[in-house]
Amino acid sequence: MILYLLCIVLFSIGLYGVLRKRNLVKIIIGLGIIEYSMNLFFVLLGYRFQGRAPIDAQDQAILTMVDPLPQALVLTSIVIGLGVMALVISIAIRIYEKYGTFDITKIKKLKG
Amino acid sequence: MKTVNIIPLFVIIPLTAAFLIPLLGRLVKRFSEFAVFLSCAMLLYLSLHARILLNSLTDKILVYKVGGWVPPFGIAMVLDGLSSFMLVTVNLVTFCVAVYSLKYMNKYTDKPKFFTLFSLMLCGMNGVIITGDLFNLFVFLEIASIASYALVAFGTEAEELEASFKYAIMGSVASSFIFIGIAFLYGFTSTLNMADMARVLSFKQNAYLVHFVGVLFLMGFGLKAALVPFHAWLPDAHPSAPASISAMLSGILIKTLGIYALARVFFNIIGSTQNYLSVLMFLGALSMLVGVILALSQWDLKRLLAYHSISQIGYVVLGIGLGTPLGILGGLFHLFNHSVFKSLLFLNSGSIDYALDTRDLRETGGLAKVMPITAKTNLIASMSIAGIPPFNGFFSKLLIIFACVQKGYFGYASCAIIASILTLASFTKVQKFLFSGELKDKFKEVKEAPWSMVISTVCLAIVCLLGGLLLLTSLQSFMGDAADVLLKGTAYAKDVIEAALR
C-alpha cells in the first residue's frame, strides 16, 4: 500500500514542478517526473506478492506470475513519453534562441 | 468477411503516406502533395463507403479482429454508427483542408515535413475513432496530440513556439490523467477491451473507483476538448498554427480527441448516470457563455474564431449531456456542422492572411471588392455559426434548445439563446470590418486567393448550405445511428461481443 502512496507523492511532486516553477527546463523535468510516476504505478498494478517473471516453462506452475500486460503497456507509454520529451525540449531550445531566456514570466508575447 | 477488411485501412493509408513522404518527398518533385491528396481522397471515399455498407447491415456494427485474436484478448477495431459518423466528418474536413494546403503551404518552407505531420495527425484521429481498445485509444490519441504540438510550432516564430510549448505541457498533463484513469480501470476490471470492460463493470457492486476514474477522464478529455475550466491553451495554440492546421485543430481534433472519446467512455463504458450528465451540461453551458463573451472583445481574426470554438464546443457538450434522444441528435448534428463551418472560417482567415499578410480586423476593410468569393463563403459560414435559418447551424441549435425545453431546463435553453445572439453580434463585427467599408489604398492590388484554395472553401460552403438536409428522413440514419449508439449505453458491450464472434 505504501508503494502506491509514494507513487501519488511522486506524481504530486511532478505536478508541483509543472505548476509552480518558472524555468522552462524545470517544467519539463516536472513533466518527466509525472510520466515516471504513472509508469511506476501501472507496473505496480501488475505485481503479485512474491511473484516471478511471466515466462511459461513446462515444469513450472502458473501460480505466482506477475501480470505481463502492464509491462508491455508501460513500454509503449515510455516510448510515447520519450517522443513528447524530445519535442518539448527542442521547442524549449528554439524559445531560448528567440527570447534569450528560460523564464516563463518574461516569455509572454501572447495576450488576451 | 471481405467487408470487414476496410476497417484497418483508415489507419493504414495515412500511416503509409506519413512513412513515404519523408522518404521520397525530397527526391521526387511534388510527391508529398500527390501522396496527401491521394490518401485523403481515398479516405473520404472509404468513409462514405463504410457508411453505406453499415446501412445495409441489420445490427449496424462491424468488428475487425487485429491479428485474428478474439476481442477480450486481442485488439478489436469497431465500426458502428458513431464511428462511421465521426469518420465521415473527419475525412470530409481533412480532404478539403488538404486541397487547400497544397497551395497555402507555399508561404512556409519544407512542405514534406508538414504533410508528414498532417498525415500522422489524421492517422491518430482515425485510430481514436475506429479503435475498440482503451489503451489503443490512448496510443492513437498521443500520436494525434504529438503531431499537433509540432504543427502548432510549424512557423517557428516566437509566438508559435510559446503557444506550442504551453499546449504541449498542458496536453501531456491531460494525457497523464487519461493514462492513470486507464491504469485504474485495468486494475479494477483486468481487461482493456472497451466492450469487455463495460461488461465487467456492469457486474461490479459499489464501484466508487469508477466515479474517481470518471473525474480523471473528465479532466483529461475535457482539456483535449477545451471545455471552459481547461480551455487556456486553445486561444493561443489555434491562432498560432498555419491556417489549414487551425482548421483541422478547431474543426475536428478537439472533437475527436475530446468530445468523441469523452462520449464513448462515459456513455458506452462507464455508463451515463444523471450525475455525469449534470456535470457535462453545466460545463457545456459555461463554455458556451464564457467563450462567446471572451470572443466579443478580440481584434485578431483567428483568435476571435478560436474563442468561438470554445463556445460552440459548449453547445455540443450541452446537447450530448442532456442524454435525451433529441438532445444527443442535436449535439452530434452541431458537432458535424461546427466542424464544417469553423474549418471554413479558418480557411477563409488563411486566404485573407495569404493575400494581405495581416489578420487584424482594425486594418482591413472593403475586401468584398477584391476577394468576392471569399467574402461570400465567409458570409455563409458566419450566418451558419450565428444560426440564421436556411443554414445548417440554425437547425442544430434549434434541436438543442428544443431538447433543453423538452426536459425542463429553461435556464440552459436561455443560455443557448443568449450565446447565439452574442455569436451573431460578434460575426456582424467580423463581416463589417473585413468586407464592407472603404478599401484601403495599400490593399488595392490584392487578388482573390488561388483557385485550389477557393475550390475547397466553396465545397465547404456548399456543405454548410445543404447541411440542414441531413435531417430529412431518408438521410437521417447518418446521425440517427450515431445517436442510437450513445443512447444504447452499456448495451454496446453485448453488440460488440456478438459481432466479434461472427
Side-chain angles (χ1 to χ4, degrees):
Chain A
M1 191 63 204
I2 194 133
L3 278 176
Y4 294 106
L5 287 177
L6 286 175
C7 266
I8 294 172
V9 171
L10 198 59
F11 185 85
S12 314
I13 292 171
L15 206 57
Y16 174 81
V18 171
L19 295 177
R20 292 289 298 164
K21 288 294 169 190
R22 287 169 151 202
N23 191 316
L24 291 185
V25 178
K26 287 183 182 166
I27 291 175
I28 296 171
I29 293 173
L31 193 67
I33 294 175
I34 288 181
E35 270 159 17
Y36 296 146
S37 75
M38 65 191 201
N39 289 339
L40 183 62
F41 176 74
F42 209 167
V43 166
L44 278 176
L45 275 180
Y47 180 70
R48 301 282 176 273
F49 185 63
Q50 289 187 334
R52 59 179 183 81
I55 301 167
D56 193 18
Q58 270 187 340
D59 53 341
Q60 282 179 322
I62 308 173
L63 282 177
T64 51
M65 273 205 298
V66 297
D67 190 349
L69 194 58
Q71 300 179 359
L73 301 183
V74 162
L75 213 57
T76 316
S77 154
I78 289 171
V79 174
I80 292 172
L82 180 78
V84 173
M85 199 58 67
L87 181 68
V88 172
I89 289 173
S90 55
I91 292 173
I93 293 171
R94 297 298 280 270
I95 287 181
Y96 188 80
E97 283 171 7
K98 297 278 175 195
Y99 289 85
T101 175
F102 277 129
D103 190 344
I104 49 165
T105 51
K106 296 196 179 99
I107 301 171
K108 45 179 182 185
K109 283 202 178 169
L110 294 166
K111 282 198 216 77
Chain B
M1 283 309 287
K2 275 281 180 248
T3 53
V4 171
N5 290 340
I6 69 162
I7 297 176
L9 289 180
F10 288 107
V11 179
I12 292 171
I13 292 174
L15 205 56
T16 317
F19 175 72
L20 290 179
I21 291 168
L23 278 184
L24 303 175
R26 284 177 200 286
L27 301 178
V28 186
K29 211 181 160 203
R30 297 203 161 267
F31 175 80
S32 54
E33 284 101 327
F34 178 72
V36 160
F37 180 79
L38 193 69
S39 65
C40 289
M42 269 157 76
L43 283 171
L44 179 62
Y45 168 74
L46 274 178
S47 60
L48 292 171
H49 179 70
R51 177 61 248 170
I52 292 162
L53 188 73
L54 213 59
N55 243 350
S56 64
L57 296 173
T58 47
D59 53 355
K60 313 228 166 190
I61 194 160
L62 278 174
V63 178
Y64 177 81
K65 299 178 274 283
V66 178
W69 294 88
V70 187
F73 307 108
I75 292 171
M77 287 182 163
V78 182
L79 181 80
D80 59 5
L82 184 60
S83 358
S84 78
F85 165 76
M86 289 298 297
L87 279 177
V88 172
T89 312
V90 165
N91 290 310
L92 176 72
V93 172
T94 312
F95 178 70
C96 292
V97 171
V99 172
Y100 183 90
S101 325
L102 298 180
K103 198 79 193 172
Y104 176 77
M105 287 315 288
N106 287 343
K107 262 183 70 169
Y108 294 80
T109 52
D110 212 347
K111 269 189 188 176
K113 276 201 185 108
F114 172 82
F115 285 122
T116 310
L117 289 167
F118 186 89
S119 301
L120 273 179
M121 189 160 88
L122 179 59
C123 162
M125 282 190 289
N126 277 343
V128 165
I129 292 167
I130 206 80
T131 187
D133 183 278
L134 202 53
F135 192 77
N136 206 358
L137 186 144
F138 173 75
V139 172
F140 281 124
L141 183 134
E142 282 292 89
I143 293 175
S145 304
I146 295 174
S148 69
Y149 307 150
L151 282 169
V152 168
F154 197 76
T156 61
E157 292 300 318
E159 290 90 352
E160 289 152 4
L161 291 167
E162 185 188 340
S164 171
F165 189 82
K166 195 173 174 185
Y167 177 31
I169 294 291
M170 293 182 81
S172 311
V173 173
S175 306
S176 316
F177 280 117
I178 296 168
F179 187 81
I180 296 172
I182 293 171
F184 272 118
L185 273 186
Y186 176 74
F188 194 53
T189 61
S190 303
T191 179
L192 280 169
N193 185 280
M194 289 192 205
D196 200 37
M197 193 176 267
R199 190 182 60 82
V200 174
L201 280 179
S202 62
F203 295 132
K204 298 269 184 182
Q205 302 288 319
N206 290 333
Y208 294 114
L209 183 73
V210 174
H211 301 301
F212 180 58
V213 171
V215 174
L216 288 176
F217 281 148
L218 188 68
M219 276 196 279
F221 293 128
L223 201 143
K224 299 275 181 196
L227 288 173
V228 146
F230 318 108
H231 70 287
W233 59 272
L234 188 142
D236 291 340
H238 286 196
S240 303
S244 47
I245 292 307
S246 309
M248 292 277 281
L249 292 178
S250 260
I252 46 187
L253 190 89
I254 54 174
K255 301 194 183 62
T256 317
L257 303 191
I259 309 287
Y260 168 80
L262 194 70
R264 185 63 102 187
V265 168
F266 275 170
F267 281 83
N268 289 148
I269 298 180
I270 298 179
S272 57
T273 58
Q274 190 54 45
N275 295 340
Y276 292 131
L277 294 182
S278 309
V279 172
L280 282 183
M281 275 189 296
F282 178 74
L283 289 182
L286 194 68
S287 309
M288 226 153 61
L289 289 176
V290 172
V292 78
I293 287 168
L294 288 173
L296 280 176
S297 61
Q298 298 301 322
W299 286 100
D300 182 340
L301 176 57
K302 281 173 87 175
R303 207 175 177 82
L304 184 145
L305 296 177
Y307 275 113
H308 276 294
S309 289
I310 300 174
S311 161
Q312 303 298 315
I313 279 290
Y315 277 99
V316 178
V317 172
L318 175 65
I320 291 176
L322 283 168
T324 56
L326 194 63
I328 291 179
L329 186 73
L332 291 175
F333 190 26
H334 199 67
L335 190 156
F336 175 78
N337 292 342
H338 179 241
S339 38
V340 175
F341 56 62
K342 185 47 68 70
S343 42
L344 174 53
L345 282 167
F346 267 116
L347 293 185
N348 279 335
S349 82
S351 301
I352 291 164
D353 195 17
Y354 188 86
L356 270 62
D357 230 15
T358 178
R359 46 180 214 237
D360 191 327
L361 291 178
R362 281 166 294 199
E363 289 178 21
T364 55
L367 292 180
K369 287 170 204 133
V370 283
M371 301 176 82
I373 303 175
T374 307
K376 288 197 181 64
T377 53
N378 207 54
L379 181 68
I380 290 175
S382 304
M383 298 221 279
S384 298
I385 195 174
I388 306 289
F391 299 101
N392 57 7
F394 168 74
F395 294 103
S396 50
K397 283 187 183 176
L398 194 68
L399 282 183
I400 292 168
I401 293 167
F402 272 164
C404 284
V405 172
Q406 194 186 38
K407 224 184 167 194
Y409 292 116
F410 293 103
Y412 288 140
S414 49
C415 281
I417 294 168
I418 291 168
S420 186
I421 293 169
L422 292 177
T423 311
L424 181 62
S426 174
F427 276 94
T428 317
K429 169 178 143 184
V430 170
Q431 287 295 338
K432 177 173 178 293
F433 280 94
L434 274 183
F435 296 112
S436 62
E438 277 299 304
L439 185 63
K440 292 193 179 149
D441 286 338
K442 62 176 171 177
F443 297 139
K444 284 275 196 272
E445 301 299 312
V446 165
K447 286 198 181 63
E448 181 61 80
W451 61 269
S452 68
M453 287 159 73
V454 169
I455 284 180
S456 67
T457 52
V458 168
C459 286
L460 284 171
I462 290 170
V463 177
C464 272
L465 197 58
L466 303 179
L469 295 179
L470 284 174
L471 285 176
L472 293 177
T473 39
S474 55
L475 292 172
Q476 215 194 1
S477 70
F478 176 55
M479 285 177 304
D481 288 349
D484 283 343
V485 171
L486 289 183
L487 283 172
K488 245 186 241 168
T490 47
Y492 158 82
K494 199 166 85 13
D495 292 352
V496 172
I497 291 169
E498 275 175 12
L501 292 176
R502 270 202 308 243

